[in-house]
Amino acid sequence: MPAFALYTIAAMAEIAGCFAFWAWLRLGKSCWWLVPGMGSLALFAWLLTMIDVPAAGRAYAAYGGVYIAASLVWLWLAEGVRPDRWDLTGMAVALVGTTIILAGPR
């Protein structure tokens, strides 16, 4: 599976897992939200190990831009807050950084 696809799935798993904790602590949801949340975070960690790079730090650094983009998609779709032009500009800059890290000659 291409790195960008793995990163995208990993980002959704991480955001969903973190949101489960947010829902429990900030929105007053049941502590049972933590069970799927922890599973989702474990899935996220496993998916990052599937990225074909020789060093974990590089995989994590490149993931950062995809995480930013996925977080803004979550903001819009799950929370109903439309990203503004500054959000979108920051996302574009982050994705350029991800592309440079992944596609740069080694």
Side-chain angles (χ1 to χ4, degrees), residues 6 54 58 61 78 88 96:
L6 283 170
R58 187 168 289 135
L88 298 176
V96 166

Side-chain angles (χ1 to χ4, degrees), residues 7-60:
Y7 279 138
T8 301
I9 297 165
M12 286 300 147
E14 183 182 14
I15 293 166
C18 290
F19 186 77
F21 279 81
W22 180 277
W24 171 54
L25 291 172
R26 301 283 301 266
L27 302 178
K29 301 293 183 183
S30 164
C31 66
W32 289 106
W33 276 63
L34 300 179
V35 174
M38 289 185 287
S40 187
L41 289 171
L43 174 64
F44 150 71
W46 178 75
L47 286 167
L48 280 187
T49 69
M50 300 292 110
I51 303 299
D52 187 24
V53 293
R58 187 168 289 135
Y60 304 156

